Amino acid sequence: MTPEELTETILAAIEAGVDDGTFAIEGDIGEVRVERPRQRDHGDWATNVAMQLGKRAGLSPREFAEKLAARLANEPGIESLEVAGPGFLNIRLRADAAGELARGIVEFGEGYGSGESLHGKHVNIEFVSANPTGPIHLGGTRWAAVGDSLARLLEFHGAEVTREYYFNDHGAQIDRFAASLLAAIKGEEAPEDGYAGEYIQDIANEVMVEAMAAGDVDPLELPQEEALEFFRERGVKLMFEQIKQSLHNFGVDFDVYFHEDSLHQSGAVDKAISHLKKTGALYESEGAWWLRSTDYGDDRDRVVIRSDGRPAYIAGDLAYFQDKRHRGADLCIYLLGADHHGYIARLKAAAAAFGDDPENVEVKIGQMVNLVKDGEPVRMSKRAGTVVALEDLVDAVGVDAARYALVRSSADSNIDIDLDLLASQSNSNPVFYVQYAHARSAGVARNATEYGIRREDGFAPELLTHEAEAALLGVLGEFPRVVTQAVEFREQHRVARYLETVAAAYHGWYDRTRVTPLGDEEVTDLHRTRLWLNDAAGQVLRNGLALLGVSAPERM
C-alpha cells in the first residue's frame, strides 16, 4: 500500500462518515496527508487529520480519531491503528501490504513518482541568460543546474516546458568586450572596465585566424571603430558558441535563445508601450513615461521611456513578457541573480499592466556560490581571469558532483562548495554516497542473476519483516510526496536531500540483509522478494538522480 493509496483510503472513510452522519462536516474536507512517524515503533504512517477536522465535525480531535480508526480497522492492508496524544492516528500496515510497494515501484519504472498536477500547462523557464562577454561564472553555473532540474521536475508533473536563454549582444558590456579583444590582439593592456583572462586572448586569436582563412581584410588595418565592430561581431559569435558548448557539456540545453535586440527591431517594444499608454498603465511626467508599478506592489513607479526618448531596460521586460505569453506560456518563471530583488515586483507589475494575473510570473533569486579548496577560498580562474567559471568547477570535480552540489541547497541560500570533499570517495561526500547506493543496487542485481534469482519466479511481500526492510519501504514510499512538494514550491533541493535519506536506508538494509543465499542455502521466495525491494530502491535512486540531471552509475 503506497502513501497515496492509504491517503485515498482515509479520505474515503471520512467521506463515508459524512454521508452517514458520523462526521457532521459541511463543505470540502480538504487535504488528507500521511507522514512517517518520528519514532518507528509508533507505526508505519501517521495522520493529523482528526486535529484538522475534529472541530468542524463537532467532536474533539481524539473522538474524531477514534471514530475514524473504527472505520479503518477492517480495511485490507491495515494491521493496527492507535490514537495518540491530542488526536494523532498512528497506522501500522500488514507486512504484505507494505511490501507490495516494492513490486509497484519496479513495475511503474521511470514513471514512479511522477504526477499530473501541471498537465496541460505550458511553462516558460528562463535561466542563466548571461551576455556573451565571457565564460559562465559560478552564479550562472548554479542557475544552469537549478534551472534544468526545475524544468525536469515540472515536466515530471506533466508540464510542457520551454527552457529559454535571454541575451543581449549590444550595449556597453559588449563594447568593452570588443575593445578588450582588439587590445589583446595588439598586445596592449585591457581597457579600463575591460575583460581579462586567457579566454580573451584565445577569442582574439580565433577571430584573426578565421579572418585570414576567409580572406577578410586585416582588422588591424581598419579605422578604430571599424576594427571594434569587426571584433564585436565575430568575437561575440565565438564566445556564445563556447557558452552553448559549455552548457551542453554540463548537460543543459535550451529550446530558445532569445535575442533582446529582436524586441526593438521587430517593433514589439513600441507596440507594448503603445498598448500600455492606451490602457492608462503608463503616464507622462517630466517628459518621461512611467509605469504605474506601485499600483501592483512595486516600491516605486518605473521609468519606461526616458525624457530623451530612449527606452529604459524595463521596456524590453514588458515586451518580453508579452512575447512569452503570445508564444503560449501559461506560467513564466525567471531565475535571476542576487542583485535582482527589485525585479520581483517589477515583472509582476508588467504582467498586471497587461491585465494578466501577476501569479503567472514567478521570480526566483539565487545567492552566491563560493568554492573552497584546502580550506581556502578559490577566487581566480586562469582562463576566465577575475571570476571562477563553470569549467573550473567541472574540471575540479566532474559534471555529476558539480550539478549535485549546486542543487542540494535552496537556491536562495549562499553555499560553500568544498572541492576536496566533492572529489573524495567517502560517505561524507553526498553525491558519492547517493551514486554508490545505486551502484550497489546494480551490483546486487548482477549477483542475483549469477545465483539464478529472478523476480518473476516469486514475490512474497509478507516475508519482508526485517526492521531494515520496513524502514527502506517507508522511505521509498515517500518519493511521490517529495516530488510533489519540490514541484509545488520550486525547490529541487528537496529531491537531493531525500535521495540521501534513501541512500542511508539502502546502505543500512544492504548491511543487515541478503538477497543472495549463503553457502549451500537454497534460493527461496525471500531472496526473490528482496531482489524486488533492491530493484525498487535502485529505481527510486535513478528517477531522483535523473530529476537532478545526475547520472546513476552501475559500477563505481
Side-chain angles (χ1 to χ4, degrees):
M1 179 178 284
T2 66
E4 288 72 25
E5 290 169 340
L6 179 58
T7 297
E8 290 171 5
T9 299
I10 295 170
L11 181 59
I14 296 171
E15 289 174 341
V18 172
D19 291 341
D20 66 18
T22 302
F23 302 130
I25 300 173
E26 295 184 0
D28 183 38
I29 292 173
E31 184 181 19
V32 175
R33 295 181 60 181
V34 295
E35 296 181 340
R36 302 292 290 180
R38 291 183 180 178
Q39 294 177 270
R40 283 311 309 266
D41 57 358
H42 287 177
D44 296 306
W45 299 99
T47 180
N48 65 350
V49 68
M51 289 186 281
Q52 295 173 359
L53 298 177
K55 187 175 181 180
R56 287 177 59 191
L59 301 167
S60 72
R62 280 194 67 89
E63 288 175 321
F64 188 102
E66 287 165 357
K67 291 179 181 292
L68 178 58
R71 286 184 168 275
L72 293 169
N74 295 321
E75 285 290 339
I78 293 180
E79 181 177 289
S80 63
L81 302 108
E82 177 190 11
V83 178
F88 288 103
L89 183 59
N90 293 330
I91 305 166
R92 191 178 303 279
L93 301 180
R94 285 171 40 191
D96 59 339
E100 189 65 42
L101 175 66
R103 181 162 63 181
I105 292 172
V106 172
E107 291 178 345
F108 212 160
E110 293 179 358
Y112 179 66
S114 62
E116 294 292 318
S117 68
L118 297 175
H119 178 71
K121 196 159 193 173
H122 180 187
V123 181
N124 181 294
I125 179 166
E126 180 209 325
F127 56 107
V128 184
S129 297
N131 288 334
T133 57
I136 300 294
H137 58 67
L138 277 183
T141 305
R142 184 180 198 178
W143 273 140
V146 170
D148 187 60
S149 180
L150 287 176
R152 290 165 185 255
L153 280 161
L154 299 173
E155 288 171 333
F156 204 50
H157 255 240
E160 176 190 350
V161 177
T162 296
R163 294 164 173 82
E164 188 146 321
Y165 189 118
Y166 182 69
F167 72 100
N168 180 17
D169 60 7
H170 290 82
Q173 288 184 357
I174 303 297
D175 290 342
R176 293 197 296 272
F177 176 66
S180 300
L181 294 176
L182 181 57
I185 212 66
K186 289 181 175 181
E188 299 172 353
E189 289 291 322
E192 187 177 356
D193 296 328
Y195 296 91
E198 285 185 358
Y199 82 96
I200 288 291
Q201 189 67 60
D202 292 343
I203 294 286
N205 291 342
E206 273 194 75
V207 169
M208 293 298 291
V209 169
E210 286 192 1
M212 291 173 64
D216 289 340
V217 64
D218 184 345
L220 298 182
E221 296 178 0
L222 295 172
Q224 177 77 0
E225 286 305 312
E226 291 182 31
L228 285 171
E229 182 55 36
F230 189 96
F231 277 95
R232 178 185 292 108
E233 179 184 348
R234 291 160 179 79
V236 164
K237 180 174 178 290
L238 288 169
M239 189 71 253
F240 203 57
E241 286 174 355
Q242 289 189 13
I243 288 172
K244 287 182 181 180
Q245 188 61 50
S246 293
L247 289 168
H248 175 75
N249 294 343
F250 197 55
V252 178
D253 293 293
F254 290 85
D255 303 299
V256 175
Y257 290 93
F258 196 97
H259 195 314
E260 179 190 347
D261 198 48
S262 67
L263 294 168
H264 298 275
Q265 297 297 327
S266 67
V269 171
D270 293 336
K271 288 178 184 176
I273 290 171
S274 176
H275 173 77
L276 295 177
K277 285 180 179 178
K278 290 177 182 176
T279 62
L282 297 184
Y283 66 92
E284 189 175 13
S285 177
E286 299 176 353
W289 284 89
W290 301 70
L291 175 67
R292 300 181 190 277
S293 49
T294 51
D295 291 351
Y296 311 113
D298 202 353
D299 59 347
R300 58 189 173 90
D301 289 347
R302 304 286 174 174
V303 174
V304 177
I305 301 296
R306 300 181 180 92
S307 56
D308 60 7
R310 292 182 300 116
Y313 197 81
I314 193 175
D317 292 335
L318 292 166
Y320 186 38
F321 170 76
Q322 192 176 43
D323 182 88
K324 287 181 176 180
R325 293 287 278 147
H326 287 165
R327 284 186 277 135
D330 301 306
L331 173 65
C332 299
I333 301 177
Y334 299 78
L335 308 188
L336 304 177
D339 56 345
H340 286 71
H341 272 283
Y343 275 73
I344 299 175
R346 194 179 312 178
L347 290 169
K348 286 184 174 291
F354 286 111
D356 215 329
D357 186 347
E359 294 304 307
N360 291 333
V361 170
E362 292 182 14
V363 182
K364 289 183 67 67
I365 302 297
Q367 295 300 325
M368 300 295 291
V369 181
N370 302 304
L371 297 188
V372 177
K373 183 169 178 59
D374 299 325
E376 296 294 328
V378 179
R379 303 192 185 281
M380 297 284 286
S381 164
K382 183 178 180 183
R383 179 170 184 268
T386 58
V387 296
V388 180
L390 183 157
E391 288 84 359
D392 298 311
L393 179 56
V394 171
D395 289 346
V397 299
V399 171
D400 280 346
R403 287 191 62 142
Y404 192 93
L406 291 166
V407 300
R408 77 182 291 266
S409 299
S410 174
D412 60 5
S413 63
N414 292 322
I415 55 173
D416 292 325
I417 295 178
D418 187 330
L419 297 178
D420 299 313
L421 175 64
L422 280 183
S424 69
Q425 294 190 350
S426 68
N427 289 346
S428 56
N429 176 357
V431 65
F432 175 83
Y433 190 63
V434 172
Q435 287 184 316
Y436 185 51
H438 182 269
R440 260 186 165 179
S441 74
V444 167
R446 288 192 299 272
N447 290 339
T449 299
E450 292 177 5
Y451 277 85
I453 302 171
R454 304 191 312 163
R455 291 197 311 257
E456 54 267 35
D457 289 341
F459 180 63
E462 68 277 5
L463 299 178
L464 297 177
T465 57
H466 194 287
E467 61 180 353
E469 289 161 344
L472 180 55
L473 283 164
V475 173
L476 298 180
E478 289 279 86
F479 186 52
R481 180 185 63 82
V482 171
V483 170
T484 297
Q485 290 182 339
V487 170
E488 180 182 354
F489 298 111
R490 319 289 191 241
E491 291 181 343
Q492 78 300 321
H493 65 275
R494 291 173 180 262
V495 175
R497 299 300 176 132
Y498 164 77
L499 290 178
E500 291 163 32
T501 304
V502 174
Y506 179 82
H507 289 309
W509 173 77
Y510 178 94
D511 291 339
R512 300 173 68 188
T513 65
R514 289 189 61 84
V515 171
T516 55
L518 279 172
D520 296 330
E521 234 177 36
E522 287 189 6
V523 173
T524 67
D525 277 348
L526 176 59
H527 298 112
R528 299 183 187 99
T529 306
R530 282 178 172 167
L531 179 59
W532 281 94
L533 179 54
N534 174 80
D535 293 353
Q539 188 68 65
V540 170
L541 289 165
R542 272 195 305 284
N543 291 3
L545 286 168
L547 292 173
L548 304 179
V550 177
S551 72
E554 302 259 323
R555 288 179 168 84
M556 289 181 72

